[in-house]
Amino acid sequence: MTSLLLTNARLIDPERDSDTLGSLLIVDGKIAAHGAEVEVPEGAEVIDCGGQCLAPGIVDIGVKVCEPGERHKESYKTAGLAAAAGGVTTMVTRPDTLPAIDTPEALEFVERRANEATPVNVLPMAALTKGREGREMTEIGFLLDAGAVAFTDCDHVVTDTKVLSRAMTYARALGALVISHPQEPGLSAGAAATSSKVATLRGLPAVSPMAERMGLDRDIALVEMTGVKYHADQITAARALPALERAKKNGLDVTAGTSIHHLTLNDLDVADYRTFFKIKPPLRSEDDRLAIIGAVKSGLIDIISSMHTPQDEESKRLPFEEAASGAVALETLLPAAMQLYHNGFLTLPDLFRAMALNPANRLGLPSGRLDAGAPADLVLFDPDAPFVLDRFALRSKSKNTPFDGARMQGKVLATYVAGAAVYRRD
């Protein structure tokens, strides 16, 4: 047996909503015990954590790795290194590649590449419809057998409700999770910003937050009709929250997520036409941002993710309206989340409930917790360490982060996957 004892650590336990000083014992890649006093096995390696925070590793739903098709933007190797440096121990990858991951063969390629190149866990999602075109559903059963953990067309909204309802019905019969991007595609087509004075003054094509509410209303009606397990990838507008609350109160199997960018930035950030702030859905008002933070605090929104979307310089160095949407965030997820902690909005257990425990539970994973028997997927971090972010120091191939030059707090000191250190800060 191999044993590792991490002592003198602030144990962040999202399941028990606790933040206490103690130790954690790892035996053969799994958590054996944790608490104020833990018996040390003979021959165990002991590491003093110096009073820093030890939490379950982040389970990040919605990571885009650009293999196959756009490897120049991000590879599994660079994404894996960025994830490890960011405390992400499990990447749940999106199928919006070129071509889309819509066949068992494409899924097996992804799994093989991920196992060869990444030090962290990689769980692939598959497309819900062939080519993400919304016309014909994929072979959900075969893709499940090949290892798909969920099905999504990402930001390509399925407009044909008959196709979507059939796919949901089939997924329900197989117990598969469907992840959707709530948006009314007609209203949101061509939008670069959220409807506001800022968008009007800057002459940017904009979309009302009601487009998100309308898309969510349709999806919830189909969930009620089919009984499928459903997750909304990003809820970013206050007007969508009542519909989400009703769906949960009615007993539907519905969860929701939001991105770290919508929790820490708002629509004023696009006023200077800085395309690194162009994401999808577009950044919302400050009132929306605060409402979404409140929904995370209350548990109405279950999951916080990076929505890591690499874009190369050529696709970002364009006029705002023409530039590609998306931002890299595997390495900035945790320090950005620390803004919410230091500003008093969320506690550390709150954050790791949304970034680790809830996503693991939604996917049926044993990780995301500090219980005995759980995989020793952990992150050790200093929540107070200050730094100025330099985008060129990021391990991702693409450097499109809105936090470039920002003063941030929170540094990952070490990341463990199955008890093995996959990252240590120099």
Side-chain angles (χ1 to χ4, degrees), residues 2-9 11 13 16 20-41 54 369-376 378:
T2 58
S3 302
L4 172 64
L5 183 70
L6 301 172
T7 66
N8 189 24
L11 300 174
D13 190 336
R16 293 169 182 80
T20 56
L21 197 64
S23 302
L24 183 141
L25 176 65
I26 301 169
V27 177
D28 288 343
K30 293 188 176 181
I31 297 171
H34 76 279
E37 295 183 8
V38 175
E39 186 175 341
V40 186
L54 184 66
R369 65 202 79 226
L370 299 183
D371 284 351
L378 304 163

PDB file of all heavy atoms in Angstrom, residues 2-9 11 13 16 20-41 54 369-376 378:
ATOM      1  N   THR A   2       0.458   2.241  -0.759  1.00  0.00           N
ATOM      2  CA  THR A   2       1.114   3.543  -0.730  1.00  0.00           C
ATOM      3  C   THR A   2       0.224   4.506   0.040  1.00  0.00           C
ATOM      4  O   THR A   2      -0.990   4.573  -0.200  1.00  0.00           O
ATOM      5  CB  THR A   2       1.338   4.070  -2.157  1.00  0.00           C
ATOM      6  OG1 THR A   2       0.077   4.154  -2.833  1.00  0.00           O
ATOM      7  CG2 THR A   2       2.254   3.139  -2.927  1.00  0.00           C
ATOM      8  N   SER A   3       0.842   5.234   0.971  1.00  0.00           N
ATOM      9  CA  SER A   3       0.066   6.127   1.834  1.00  0.00           C
ATOM     10  C   SER A   3       0.663   7.526   1.795  1.00  0.00           C
ATOM     11  O   SER A   3       1.876   7.707   1.770  1.00  0.00           O
ATOM     12  CB  SER A   3       0.069   5.604   3.278  1.00  0.00           C
ATOM     13  OG  SER A   3      -0.446   4.299   3.344  1.00  0.00           O
ATOM     14  N   LEU A   4      -0.219   8.511   1.809  1.00  0.00           N
ATOM     15  CA  LEU A   4       0.185   9.911   1.838  1.00  0.00           C
ATOM     16  C   LEU A   4      -0.707  10.636   2.828  1.00  0.00           C
ATOM     17  O   LEU A   4      -1.945  10.550   2.749  1.00  0.00           O
ATOM     18  CB  LEU A   4       0.043  10.539   0.444  1.00  0.00           C
ATOM     19  CG  LEU A   4       0.250  12.049   0.341  1.00  0.00           C
ATOM     20  CD1 LEU A   4       1.680  12.426   0.719  1.00  0.00           C
ATOM     21  CD2 LEU A   4      -0.086  12.541  -1.061  1.00  0.00           C
ATOM     22  N   LEU A   5      -0.105  11.350   3.774  1.00  0.00           N
ATOM     23  CA  LEU A   5      -0.862  12.120   4.753  1.00  0.00           C
ATOM     24  C   LEU A   5      -0.617  13.602   4.507  1.00  0.00           C
ATOM     25  O   LEU A   5       0.529  14.063   4.537  1.00  0.00           O
ATOM     26  CB  LEU A   5      -0.451  11.746   6.181  1.00  0.00           C
ATOM     27  CG  LEU A   5      -1.248  12.447   7.287  1.00  0.00           C
ATOM     28  CD1 LEU A   5      -2.677  11.906   7.324  1.00  0.00           C
ATOM     29  CD2 LEU A   5      -0.580  12.285   8.644  1.00  0.00           C
ATOM     30  N   LEU A   6      -1.685  14.320   4.259  1.00  0.00           N
ATOM     31  CA  LEU A   6      -1.629  15.774   4.100  1.00  0.00           C
ATOM     32  C   LEU A   6      -2.080  16.386   5.418  1.00  0.00           C
ATOM     33  O   LEU A   6      -3.244  16.250   5.812  1.00  0.00           O
ATOM     34  CB  LEU A   6      -2.525  16.220   2.950  1.00  0.00           C
ATOM     35  CG  LEU A   6      -2.196  15.609   1.577  1.00  0.00           C
ATOM     36  CD1 LEU A   6      -3.262  15.961   0.553  1.00  0.00           C
ATOM     37  CD2 LEU A   6      -0.827  16.064   1.092  1.00  0.00           C
ATOM     38  N   THR A   7      -1.166  17.034   6.118  1.00  0.00           N
ATOM     39  CA  THR A   7      -1.466  17.559   7.452  1.00  0.00           C
ATOM     40  C   THR A   7      -1.538  19.082   7.436  1.00  0.00           C
ATOM     41  O   THR A   7      -1.104  19.739   6.480  1.00  0.00           O
ATOM     42  CB  THR A   7      -0.381  17.129   8.463  1.00  0.00           C
ATOM     43  OG1 THR A   7       0.866  17.754   8.101  1.00  0.00           O
ATOM     44  CG2 THR A   7      -0.201  15.628   8.471  1.00  0.00           C
ATOM     45  N   ASN A   8      -2.077  19.614   8.550  1.00  0.00           N
ATOM     46  CA  ASN A   8      -2.126  21.064   8.749  1.00  0.00           C
ATOM     47  C   ASN A   8      -2.774  21.761   7.558  1.00  0.00           C
ATOM     48  O   ASN A   8      -2.231  22.716   7.002  1.00  0.00           O
ATOM     49  CB  ASN A   8      -0.712  21.604   9.002  1.00  0.00           C
ATOM     50  CG  ASN A   8      -0.715  23.065   9.435  1.00  0.00           C
ATOM     51  OD1 ASN A   8      -1.708  23.551   9.972  1.00  0.00           O
ATOM     52  ND2 ASN A   8       0.385  23.761   9.187  1.00  0.00           N
ATOM     53  N   ALA A   9      -3.943  21.263   7.152  1.00  0.00           N
ATOM     54  CA  ALA A   9      -4.656  21.815   6.003  1.00  0.00           C
ATOM     55  C   ALA A   9      -6.029  22.334   6.431  1.00  0.00           C
ATOM     56  O   ALA A   9      -6.646  21.788   7.354  1.00  0.00           O
ATOM     57  CB  ALA A   9      -4.837  20.747   4.924  1.00  0.00           C
ATOM     58  N   LEU A  11      -9.449  22.005   5.582  1.00  0.00           N
ATOM     59  CA  LEU A  11     -10.227  21.040   4.808  1.00  0.00           C
ATOM     60  C   LEU A  11     -11.554  21.687   4.392  1.00  0.00           C
ATOM     61  O   LEU A  11     -12.404  21.986   5.229  1.00  0.00           O
ATOM     62  CB  LEU A  11     -10.480  19.782   5.631  1.00  0.00           C
ATOM     63  CG  LEU A  11      -9.229  19.022   6.092  1.00  0.00           C
ATOM     64  CD1 LEU A  11      -9.620  17.867   7.018  1.00  0.00           C
ATOM     65  CD2 LEU A  11      -8.441  18.499   4.898  1.00  0.00           C
ATOM     66  N   ASP A  13     -14.892  21.080   2.938  1.00  0.00           N
ATOM     67  CA  ASP A  13     -15.788  19.942   2.716  1.00  0.00           C
ATOM     68  C   ASP A  13     -17.155  20.455   2.267  1.00  0.00           C
ATOM     69  O   ASP A  13     -17.963  20.888   3.088  1.00  0.00           O
ATOM     70  CB  ASP A  13     -15.924  19.126   3.999  1.00  0.00           C
ATOM     71  CG  ASP A  13     -16.631  17.798   3.778  1.00  0.00           C
ATOM     72  OD1 ASP A  13     -17.399  17.698   2.796  1.00  0.00           O
ATOM     73  OD2 ASP A  13     -16.421  16.860   4.572  1.00  0.00           O
ATOM     74  N   ARG A  16     -20.381  18.673   3.825  1.00  0.00           N
ATOM     75  CA  ARG A  16     -20.722  18.997   5.217  1.00  0.00           C
ATOM     76  C   ARG A  16     -20.724  20.494   5.477  1.00  0.00           C
ATOM     77  O   ARG A  16     -20.914  20.923   6.621  1.00  0.00           O
ATOM     78  CB  ARG A  16     -19.725  18.298   6.161  1.00  0.00           C
ATOM     79  CG  ARG A  16     -19.868  16.787   6.133  1.00  0.00           C
ATOM     80  CD  ARG A  16     -18.717  16.084   6.850  1.00  0.00           C
ATOM     81  NE  ARG A  16     -18.866  14.639   6.764  1.00  0.00           N
ATOM     82  CZ  ARG A  16     -18.537  13.908   5.704  1.00  0.00           C
ATOM     83  NH1 ARG A  16     -18.040  14.495   4.632  1.00  0.00           N
ATOM     84  NH2 ARG A  16     -18.723  12.603   5.700  1.00  0.00           N
ATOM     85  N   THR A  20     -12.503  23.499   8.114  1.00  0.00           N
ATOM     86  CA  THR A  20     -11.860  23.219   9.393  1.00  0.00           C
ATOM     87  C   THR A  20     -10.408  22.796   9.193  1.00  0.00           C
ATOM     88  O   THR A  20     -10.041  22.272   8.135  1.00  0.00           O
ATOM     89  CB  THR A  20     -12.595  22.089  10.145  1.00  0.00           C
ATOM     90  OG1 THR A  20     -12.645  20.924   9.307  1.00  0.00           O
ATOM     91  CG2 THR A  20     -14.018  22.496  10.497  1.00  0.00           C
ATOM     92  N   LEU A  21      -9.596  23.008  10.221  1.00  0.00           N
ATOM     93  CA  LEU A  21      -8.197  22.602  10.168  1.00  0.00           C
ATOM     94  C   LEU A  21      -8.089  21.119  10.497  1.00  0.00           C
ATOM     95  O   LEU A  21      -8.716  20.630  11.444  1.00  0.00           O
ATOM     96  CB  LEU A  21      -7.374  23.415  11.169  1.00  0.00           C
ATOM     97  CG  LEU A  21      -5.856  23.414  10.962  1.00  0.00           C
ATOM     98  CD1 LEU A  21      -5.491  24.081   9.647  1.00  0.00           C
ATOM     99  CD2 LEU A  21      -5.167  24.116  12.121  1.00  0.00           C
ATOM    100  N   GLY A  22      -7.310  20.380   9.716  1.00  0.00           N
ATOM    101  CA  GLY A  22      -7.163  18.954   9.967  1.00  0.00           C
ATOM    102  C   GLY A  22      -6.198  18.304   8.997  1.00  0.00           C
ATOM    103  O   GLY A  22      -5.384  18.967   8.347  1.00  0.00           O
ATOM    104  N   SER A  23      -6.318  16.981   8.881  1.00  0.00           N
ATOM    105  CA  SER A  23      -5.448  16.181   8.021  1.00  0.00           C
ATOM    106  C   SER A  23      -6.286  15.283   7.139  1.00  0.00           C
ATOM    107  O   SER A  23      -7.453  14.997   7.436  1.00  0.00           O
ATOM    108  CB  SER A  23      -4.499  15.321   8.869  1.00  0.00           C
ATOM    109  OG  SER A  23      -3.719  16.120   9.723  1.00  0.00           O
ATOM    110  N   LEU A  24      -5.669  14.829   6.051  1.00  0.00           N
ATOM    111  CA  LEU A  24      -6.359  13.909   5.137  1.00  0.00           C
ATOM    112  C   LEU A  24      -5.387  12.810   4.735  1.00  0.00           C
ATOM    113  O   LEU A  24      -4.252  13.085   4.346  1.00  0.00           O
ATOM    114  CB  LEU A  24      -6.874  14.665   3.910  1.00  0.00           C
ATOM    115  CG  LEU A  24      -7.687  13.853   2.907  1.00  0.00           C
ATOM    116  CD1 LEU A  24      -8.857  14.670   2.361  1.00  0.00           C
ATOM    117  CD2 LEU A  24      -6.813  13.378   1.747  1.00  0.00           C
ATOM    118  N   LEU A  25      -5.847  11.574   4.853  1.00  0.00           N
ATOM    119  CA  LEU A  25      -5.020  10.415   4.544  1.00  0.00           C
ATOM    120  C   LEU A  25      -5.447   9.801   3.215  1.00  0.00           C
ATOM    121  O   LEU A  25      -6.639   9.547   2.989  1.00  0.00           O
ATOM    122  CB  LEU A  25      -5.134   9.360   5.659  1.00  0.00           C
ATOM    123  CG  LEU A  25      -4.383   8.039   5.437  1.00  0.00           C
ATOM    124  CD1 LEU A  25      -2.877   8.274   5.395  1.00  0.00           C
ATOM    125  CD2 LEU A  25      -4.753   7.032   6.527  1.00  0.00           C
ATOM    126  N   ILE A  26      -4.464   9.567   2.343  1.00  0.00           N
ATOM    127  CA  ILE A  26      -4.691   8.919   1.047  1.00  0.00           C
ATOM    128  C   ILE A  26      -4.000   7.561   1.067  1.00  0.00           C
ATOM    129  O   ILE A  26      -2.819   7.463   1.408  1.00  0.00           O
ATOM    130  CB  ILE A  26      -4.125   9.765  -0.104  1.00  0.00           C
ATOM    131  CG1 ILE A  26      -4.780  11.149  -0.128  1.00  0.00           C
ATOM    132  CG2 ILE A  26      -4.292   9.059  -1.439  1.00  0.00           C
ATOM    133  CD1 ILE A  26      -4.100  12.129  -1.068  1.00  0.00           C
ATOM    134  N   VAL A  27      -4.746   6.507   0.724  1.00  0.00           N
ATOM    135  CA  VAL A  27      -4.182   5.161   0.635  1.00  0.00           C
ATOM    136  C   VAL A  27      -4.562   4.578  -0.715  1.00  0.00           C
ATOM    137  O   VAL A  27      -5.752   4.501  -1.061  1.00  0.00           O
ATOM    138  CB  VAL A  27      -4.687   4.250   1.775  1.00  0.00           C
ATOM    139  CG1 VAL A  27      -4.140   2.834   1.605  1.00  0.00           C
ATOM    140  CG2 VAL A  27      -4.286   4.811   3.133  1.00  0.00           C
ATOM    141  N   ASP A  28      -3.557   4.203  -1.485  1.00  0.00           N
ATOM    142  CA  ASP A  28      -3.772   3.587  -2.802  1.00  0.00           C
ATOM    143  C   ASP A  28      -4.719   4.399  -3.687  1.00  0.00           C
ATOM    144  O   ASP A  28      -5.636   3.864  -4.318  1.00  0.00           O
ATOM    145  CB  ASP A  28      -4.300   2.158  -2.640  1.00  0.00           C
ATOM    146  CG  ASP A  28      -3.230   1.202  -2.129  1.00  0.00           C
ATOM    147  OD1 ASP A  28      -2.034   1.559  -2.212  1.00  0.00           O
ATOM    148  OD2 ASP A  28      -3.589   0.123  -1.639  1.00  0.00           O
ATOM    149  N   GLY A  29      -4.487   5.710  -3.711  1.00  0.00           N
ATOM    150  CA  GLY A  29      -5.228   6.563  -4.621  1.00  0.00           C
ATOM    151  C   GLY A  29      -6.607   6.978  -4.171  1.00  0.00           C
ATOM    152  O   GLY A  29      -7.312   7.680  -4.896  1.00  0.00           O
ATOM    153  N   LYS A  30      -7.015   6.554  -2.977  1.00  0.00           N
ATOM    154  CA  LYS A  30      -8.341   6.918  -2.468  1.00  0.00           C
ATOM    155  C   LYS A  30      -8.220   7.566  -1.099  1.00  0.00           C
ATOM    156  O   LYS A  30      -7.258   7.334  -0.361  1.00  0.00           O
ATOM    157  CB  LYS A  30      -9.246   5.689  -2.390  1.00  0.00           C
ATOM    158  CG  LYS A  30      -9.589   5.112  -3.757  1.00  0.00           C
ATOM    159  CD  LYS A  30     -10.647   4.030  -3.653  1.00  0.00           C
ATOM    160  CE  LYS A  30     -11.053   3.522  -5.043  1.00  0.00           C
ATOM    161  NZ  LYS A  30     -12.108   2.479  -4.966  1.00  0.00           N
ATOM    162  N   ILE A  31      -9.207   8.380  -0.772  1.00  0.00           N
ATOM    163  CA  ILE A  31      -9.241   9.002   0.545  1.00  0.00           C
ATOM    164  C   ILE A  31      -9.587   7.933   1.578  1.00  0.00           C
ATOM    165  O   ILE A  31     -10.592   7.216   1.437  1.00  0.00           O
ATOM    166  CB  ILE A  31     -10.260  10.149   0.581  1.00  0.00           C
ATOM    167  CG1 ILE A  31      -9.848  11.253  -0.409  1.00  0.00           C
ATOM    168  CG2 ILE A  31     -10.409  10.707   1.993  1.00  0.00           C
ATOM    169  CD1 ILE A  31     -10.894  12.323  -0.610  1.00  0.00           C
ATOM    170  N   ALA A  32      -8.746   7.794   2.600  1.00  0.00           N
ATOM    171  CA  ALA A  32      -8.976   6.797   3.641  1.00  0.00           C
ATOM    172  C   ALA A  32      -9.618   7.416   4.880  1.00  0.00           C
ATOM    173  O   ALA A  32     -10.435   6.761   5.556  1.00  0.00           O
ATOM    174  CB  ALA A  32      -7.668   6.110   4.023  1.00  0.00           C
ATOM    175  N   ALA A  33      -9.256   8.664   5.192  1.00  0.00           N
ATOM    176  CA  ALA A  33      -9.817   9.329   6.368  1.00  0.00           C
ATOM    177  C   ALA A  33      -9.463  10.805   6.306  1.00  0.00           C
ATOM    178  O   ALA A  33      -8.502  11.210   5.644  1.00  0.00           O
ATOM    179  CB  ALA A  33      -9.256   8.713   7.656  1.00  0.00           C
ATOM    180  N   HIS A  34     -10.243  11.619   7.011  1.00  0.00           N
ATOM    181  CA  HIS A  34      -9.898  13.026   7.161  1.00  0.00           C
ATOM    182  C   HIS A  34     -10.522  13.538   8.443  1.00  0.00           C
ATOM    183  O   HIS A  34     -11.514  13.000   8.930  1.00  0.00           O
ATOM    184  CB  HIS A  34     -10.345  13.854   5.951  1.00  0.00           C
ATOM    185  CG  HIS A  34     -11.815  14.144   5.912  1.00  0.00           C
ATOM    186  ND1 HIS A  34     -12.734  13.236   5.465  1.00  0.00           N
ATOM    187  CD2 HIS A  34     -12.521  15.250   6.279  1.00  0.00           C
ATOM    188  CE1 HIS A  34     -13.951  13.750   5.534  1.00  0.00           C
ATOM    189  NE2 HIS A  34     -13.854  14.969   6.033  1.00  0.00           N
ATOM    190  N   GLY A  35      -9.927  14.556   9.006  1.00  0.00           N
ATOM    191  CA  GLY A  35     -10.456  15.130  10.232  1.00  0.00           C
ATOM    192  C   GLY A  35      -9.371  15.788  11.047  1.00  0.00           C
ATOM    193  O   GLY A  35      -8.224  15.947  10.606  1.00  0.00           O
ATOM    194  N   ALA A  36      -9.737  16.196  12.269  1.00  0.00           N
ATOM    195  CA  ALA A  36      -8.793  16.883  13.146  1.00  0.00           C
ATOM    196  C   ALA A  36      -7.648  15.974  13.560  1.00  0.00           C
ATOM    197  O   ALA A  36      -6.510  16.414  13.713  1.00  0.00           O
ATOM    198  CB  ALA A  36      -9.520  17.421  14.372  1.00  0.00           C
ATOM    199  N   GLU A  37      -7.957  14.693  13.761  1.00  0.00           N
ATOM    200  CA  GLU A  37      -6.932  13.730  14.151  1.00  0.00           C
ATOM    201  C   GLU A  37      -7.052  12.501  13.262  1.00  0.00           C
ATOM    202  O   GLU A  37      -8.086  11.845  13.242  1.00  0.00           O
ATOM    203  CB  GLU A  37      -7.086  13.339  15.623  1.00  0.00           C
ATOM    204  CG  GLU A  37      -6.843  14.491  16.595  1.00  0.00           C
ATOM    205  CD  GLU A  37      -6.928  14.037  18.046  1.00  0.00           C
ATOM    206  OE1 GLU A  37      -7.024  12.820  18.273  1.00  0.00           O
ATOM    207  OE2 GLU A  37      -6.898  14.915  18.933  1.00  0.00           O
ATOM    208  N   VAL A  38      -5.992  12.193  12.548  1.00  0.00           N
ATOM    209  CA  VAL A  38      -5.968  11.037  11.654  1.00  0.00           C
ATOM    210  C   VAL A  38      -4.749  10.197  12.000  1.00  0.00           C
ATOM    211  O   VAL A  38      -3.632  10.719  12.109  1.00  0.00           O
ATOM    212  CB  VAL A  38      -5.906  11.476  10.171  1.00  0.00           C
ATOM    213  CG1 VAL A  38      -5.753  10.268   9.261  1.00  0.00           C
ATOM    214  CG2 VAL A  38      -7.157  12.268   9.797  1.00  0.00           C
ATOM    215  N   GLU A  39      -4.970   8.907  12.183  1.00  0.00           N
ATOM    216  CA  GLU A  39      -3.864   8.009  12.514  1.00  0.00           C
ATOM    217  C   GLU A  39      -2.946   7.849  11.302  1.00  0.00           C
ATOM    218  O   GLU A  39      -3.401   7.621  10.178  1.00  0.00           O
ATOM    219  CB  GLU A  39      -4.422   6.647  12.934  1.00  0.00           C
ATOM    220  CG  GLU A  39      -3.363   5.684  13.444  1.00  0.00           C
ATOM    221  CD  GLU A  39      -3.971   4.376  13.957  1.00  0.00           C
ATOM    222  OE1 GLU A  39      -5.176   4.369  14.252  1.00  0.00           O
ATOM    223  OE2 GLU A  39      -3.230   3.388  14.036  1.00  0.00           O
ATOM    224  N   VAL A  40      -1.633   7.957  11.554  1.00  0.00           N
ATOM    225  CA  VAL A  40      -0.658   7.892  10.468  1.00  0.00           C
ATOM    226  C   VAL A  40      -0.170   6.460  10.308  1.00  0.00           C
ATOM    227  O   VAL A  40       0.406   5.888  11.230  1.00  0.00           O
ATOM    228  CB  VAL A  40       0.547   8.809  10.750  1.00  0.00           C
ATOM    229  CG1 VAL A  40       1.480   8.834   9.552  1.00  0.00           C
ATOM    230  CG2 VAL A  40       0.084  10.205  11.115  1.00  0.00           C
ATOM    231  N   PRO A  41      -0.379   5.834   9.134  1.00  0.00           N
ATOM    232  CA  PRO A  41       0.129   4.478   8.914  1.00  0.00           C
ATOM    233  C   PRO A  41       1.655   4.470   8.883  1.00  0.00           C
ATOM    234  O   PRO A  41       2.290   5.464   8.522  1.00  0.00           O
ATOM    235  CB  PRO A  41      -0.450   4.082   7.552  1.00  0.00           C
ATOM    236  CG  PRO A  41      -1.485   5.099   7.237  1.00  0.00           C
ATOM    237  CD  PRO A  41      -1.126   6.336   7.971  1.00  0.00           C
ATOM    238  N   LEU A  54      -7.349  22.719   1.369  1.00  0.00           N
ATOM    239  CA  LEU A  54      -7.374  21.451   0.647  1.00  0.00           C
ATOM    240  C   LEU A  54      -8.832  21.123   0.355  1.00  0.00           C
ATOM    241  O   LEU A  54      -9.648  21.008   1.280  1.00  0.00           O
ATOM    242  CB  LEU A  54      -6.731  20.345   1.480  1.00  0.00           C
ATOM    243  CG  LEU A  54      -6.593  18.977   0.811  1.00  0.00           C
ATOM    244  CD1 LEU A  54      -5.620  19.038  -0.369  1.00  0.00           C
ATOM    245  CD2 LEU A  54      -6.130  17.919   1.819  1.00  0.00           C
ATOM    246  N   ARG A 369     -15.788  15.095  -3.376  1.00  0.00           N
ATOM    247  CA  ARG A 369     -16.042  15.048  -1.938  1.00  0.00           C
ATOM    248  C   ARG A 369     -14.803  14.565  -1.200  1.00  0.00           C
ATOM    249  O   ARG A 369     -13.853  14.073  -1.818  1.00  0.00           O
ATOM    250  CB  ARG A 369     -17.237  14.130  -1.655  1.00  0.00           C
ATOM    251  CG  ARG A 369     -16.995  12.660  -2.026  1.00  0.00           C
ATOM    252  CD  ARG A 369     -18.303  11.921  -2.235  1.00  0.00           C
ATOM    253  NE  ARG A 369     -18.847  12.215  -3.557  1.00  0.00           N
ATOM    254  CZ  ARG A 369     -20.122  12.531  -3.783  1.00  0.00           C
ATOM    255  NH1 ARG A 369     -20.977  12.613  -2.780  1.00  0.00           N
ATOM    256  NH2 ARG A 369     -20.531  12.780  -5.011  1.00  0.00           N
ATOM    257  N   LEU A 370     -14.828  14.676   0.119  1.00  0.00           N
ATOM    258  CA  LEU A 370     -13.702  14.239   0.940  1.00  0.00           C
ATOM    259  C   LEU A 370     -14.017  12.967   1.714  1.00  0.00           C
ATOM    260  O   LEU A 370     -13.287  12.604   2.642  1.00  0.00           O
ATOM    261  CB  LEU A 370     -13.303  15.350   1.933  1.00  0.00           C
ATOM    262  CG  LEU A 370     -12.843  16.681   1.333  1.00  0.00           C
ATOM    263  CD1 LEU A 370     -12.421  17.639   2.439  1.00  0.00           C
ATOM    264  CD2 LEU A 370     -11.709  16.477   0.338  1.00  0.00           C
ATOM    265  N   ASP A 371     -15.066  12.272   1.360  1.00  0.00           N
ATOM    266  CA  ASP A 371     -15.461  11.055   2.073  1.00  0.00           C
ATOM    267  C   ASP A 371     -14.447   9.939   1.888  1.00  0.00           C
ATOM    268  O   ASP A 371     -13.803   9.826   0.833  1.00  0.00           O
ATOM    269  CB  ASP A 371     -16.827  10.555   1.568  1.00  0.00           C
ATOM    270  CG  ASP A 371     -17.969  11.387   2.114  1.00  0.00           C
ATOM    271  OD1 ASP A 371     -17.714  12.215   3.006  1.00  0.00           O
ATOM    272  OD2 ASP A 371     -19.109  11.213   1.649  1.00  0.00           O
ATOM    273  N   ALA A 372     -14.346   9.084   2.892  1.00  0.00           N
ATOM    274  CA  ALA A 372     -13.518   7.883   2.779  1.00  0.00           C
ATOM    275  C   ALA A 372     -14.034   7.019   1.636  1.00  0.00           C
ATOM    276  O   ALA A 372     -15.242   6.802   1.493  1.00  0.00           O
ATOM    277  CB  ALA A 372     -13.550   7.099   4.085  1.00  0.00           C
ATOM    278  N   GLY A 373     -13.116   6.547   0.809  1.00  0.00           N
ATOM    279  CA  GLY A 373     -13.468   5.732  -0.349  1.00  0.00           C
ATOM    280  C   GLY A 373     -13.582   6.514  -1.638  1.00  0.00           C
ATOM    281  O   GLY A 373     -13.570   5.930  -2.730  1.00  0.00           O
ATOM    282  N   ALA A 374     -13.662   7.848  -1.543  1.00  0.00           N
ATOM    283  CA  ALA A 374     -13.728   8.671  -2.755  1.00  0.00           C
ATOM    284  C   ALA A 374     -12.345   8.758  -3.385  1.00  0.00           C
ATOM    285  O   ALA A 374     -11.322   8.644  -2.698  1.00  0.00           O
ATOM    286  CB  ALA A 374     -14.232  10.065  -2.414  1.00  0.00           C
ATOM    287  N   PRO A 375     -12.267   8.945  -4.690  1.00  0.00           N
ATOM    288  CA  PRO A 375     -10.951   9.120  -5.328  1.00  0.00           C
ATOM    289  C   PRO A 375     -10.222  10.313  -4.721  1.00  0.00           C
ATOM    290  O   PRO A 375     -10.850  11.340  -4.418  1.00  0.00           O
ATOM    291  CB  PRO A 375     -11.300   9.375  -6.802  1.00  0.00           C
ATOM    292  CG  PRO A 375     -12.704   8.913  -6.972  1.00  0.00           C
ATOM    293  CD  PRO A 375     -13.373   9.065  -5.658  1.00  0.00           C
ATOM    294  N   ALA A 376      -8.917  10.191  -4.558  1.00  0.00           N
ATOM    295  CA  ALA A 376      -8.128  11.282  -3.988  1.00  0.00           C
ATOM    296  C   ALA A 376      -7.792  12.297  -5.076  1.00  0.00           C
ATOM    297  O   ALA A 376      -6.627  12.519  -5.430  1.00  0.00           O
ATOM    298  CB  ALA A 376      -6.871  10.733  -3.332  1.00  0.00           C
ATOM    299  N   LEU A 378      -7.790  16.014  -5.621  1.00  0.00           N
ATOM    300  CA  LEU A 378      -7.761  17.114  -4.664  1.00  0.00           C
ATOM    301  C   LEU A 378      -7.010  18.313  -5.225  1.00  0.00           C
ATOM    302  O   LEU A 378      -6.167  18.171  -6.113  1.00  0.00           O
ATOM    303  CB  LEU A 378      -7.077  16.668  -3.367  1.00  0.00           C
ATOM    304  CG  LEU A 378      -7.651  15.431  -2.665  1.00  0.00           C
ATOM    305  CD1 LEU A 378      -6.649  14.869  -1.674  1.00  0.00           C
ATOM    306  CD2 LEU A 378      -8.959  15.766  -1.972  1.00  0.00           C
TER     307      LEU A 378
END
